[in-house]
DNA sequence: TTCCGAGTTAATAATCGTTCCAAGTTAGAA
DNA sequence: TTCTAACTTGGAACGATTATTAACTCGGAA
């Protein structure tokens, strides 16, 4: 689905040169929905592309962020985690594994929009909204 | 309302020794609803209590956190910010000033509870939930 | 074809926020 | 009042991120 041609197209749409580094980093991101850190993306890429530099990973992620290709995930900890999904969605924070999972629900989004249309925050213009859900899986571990 | 006696009581309730350092840090927190960083709490305290160590601020905030006296705020940035309000509430992230404001709304909480009662996430037990609202004040700046 | 220059990368240093540690101090139980 | 586990301190260490900069790339003039 998200093959190399698609990745090139994404870069072109963002007005970014399709360098090898950007291709592998973006490819790594599209393969990886675990909300990875810069470091873990770096390790993942190093196998295929050993000459990559950690600086380049940081630089590129920042360029991607500025062009809306990735987002930061708000975690309460020190390390920044990146999210290649820039569509509206929410997050499940797993309390016993520092995993972060995506949660999509259009009905929830409609509910929130409706709520904040009725209950305006005075003089405040909302640009984005995200629900952080903390908890744990019981009984069955979710398949990864 | 939250005088020194009250602060001592809070520490006692948590089963913590009432050291001078803990008293001034907790006092600083109760005065400060700007979701401060460890560093900014440190600077604030240093005026009254110049011998305080930054390590102590970090240590103490961590102890407070373990005893439910403060929380981390999840921001997308590198620095941890602390929240002395441990009641259920949500946050407004001001997009042009890195300020964070509290947002309380019981009706919103009821709405969310109701939603997630009906729309259970399979095998997932929710322990906490927080809405992050990003945006900006228009026209009038909110009085600080 | 050669050359140029903007854009990019890699290596390294610098900085930042946080944690760790060994040694000294203290709150408060007894 | 004494005693000791709990606490604080300052500095070093650490991990994550950012800044600096020199080398590389490559498409498009000349
Ligand atoms: Mn996300
Ligand atoms: Mn809060
Ligand atoms: Zn996500
Ligand atoms: Zn708050």
């Amino acid at each position: 689905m998200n093959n190399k041609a698609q990745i090139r197209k994404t870069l072109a749409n963002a007005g970014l040169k399709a360098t090898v580094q950007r291709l592998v980093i973006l490819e790594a991101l599209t393969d990886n929905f675990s909300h990875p850190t810069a470091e873990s993306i770096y390790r993942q890429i190093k196998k295929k592309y050993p000459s990559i530099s950690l600086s380049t990973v940081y630089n590129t992620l920042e360029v991607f962020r500025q062009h809306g290709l990735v987002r930061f995930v708000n975690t309460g900890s020190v390390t920044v985690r990146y999210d290649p999904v820039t569509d509206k969605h929410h997050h499940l924070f797993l309390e016993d594994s520092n995993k972060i999972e995506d949660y999509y629900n259009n009905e929830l989004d409609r509910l929130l929009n409706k709520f904040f249309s009725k209950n305006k925050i005075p003089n405040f213009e909302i640009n984005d909204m995200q629900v952080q859900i903390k908890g744990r899986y019981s009984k069955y571990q979710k398949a990864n």
Side-chain angles (χ1 to χ4, degrees), chain A:
Chain A
M1 180 169 289
N2 233 336
N3 54 10
K4 314 229 172 191
Q6 179 58 50
I7 286 172
R8 282 181 178 277
K9 202 173 288 180
T10 304
L11 287 174
N13 287 344
L16 295 172
K17 279 192 183 174
T19 66
V20 182
Q21 291 86 348
R22 286 174 179 173
L23 289 168
V24 295
I25 292 172
L26 193 47
E27 189 181 13
L29 282 166
T30 61
D31 290 352
N32 186 335
F33 290 94
S34 66
H35 304 85
T37 63
E39 178 73 33
S40 72
I41 292 167
Y42 172 67
R43 285 197 307 268
Q44 182 181 343
I45 287 169
K46 204 120 218 253
K47 297 170 199 160
K48 288 189 180 178
Y49 190 104
S51 73
I52 191 102
S53 154
L54 181 56
S55 303
T56 301
V57 174
Y58 273 106
N59 290 338
T60 303
L61 286 169
E62 175 58 17
V63 170
F64 286 177
R65 194 189 63 79
Q66 285 169 3
H67 289 80
L69 271 49
V70 298
R71 288 186 177 185
F72 289 160
V73 182
N74 297 169
T75 74
S77 92
V78 121
T79 316
V80 173
R81 297 177 69 164
Y82 296 86
D83 195 335
V85 178
T86 56
D87 304 340
K88 184 168 193 55
H89 70 286
H90 309 281
H91 287 121
L92 262 40
F93 289 75
L94 276 52
E95 286 185 331
D96 34 30
S97 72
N98 97 333
K99 289 199 180 113
I100 300 169
E101 294 187 2
D102 290 332
Y103 178 78
Y104 298 88
N105 192 308
N106 291 331
E107 192 186 337
L108 174 60
D109 295 335
R110 278 195 303 274
L111 202 68
L112 288 170
N113 285 338
K114 199 169 132 191
F115 177 84
F116 284 101
S117 302
K118 283 186 190 166
N119 303 77
K120 291 236 188 295
I121 303 167
N123 299 316
F124 191 81
E125 182 197 353
I126 295 175
N127 290 329
D128 192 22
M129 191 178 312
Q130 221 235 88
V131 183
Q132 294 193 336
I133 302 160
K134 286 162 200 165
R136 51 172 49 88
Y137 281 105
S138 49
K139 298 179 198 161
Y140 312 108
Q141 206 62 22
K142 168 150 186 192
N144 198 8

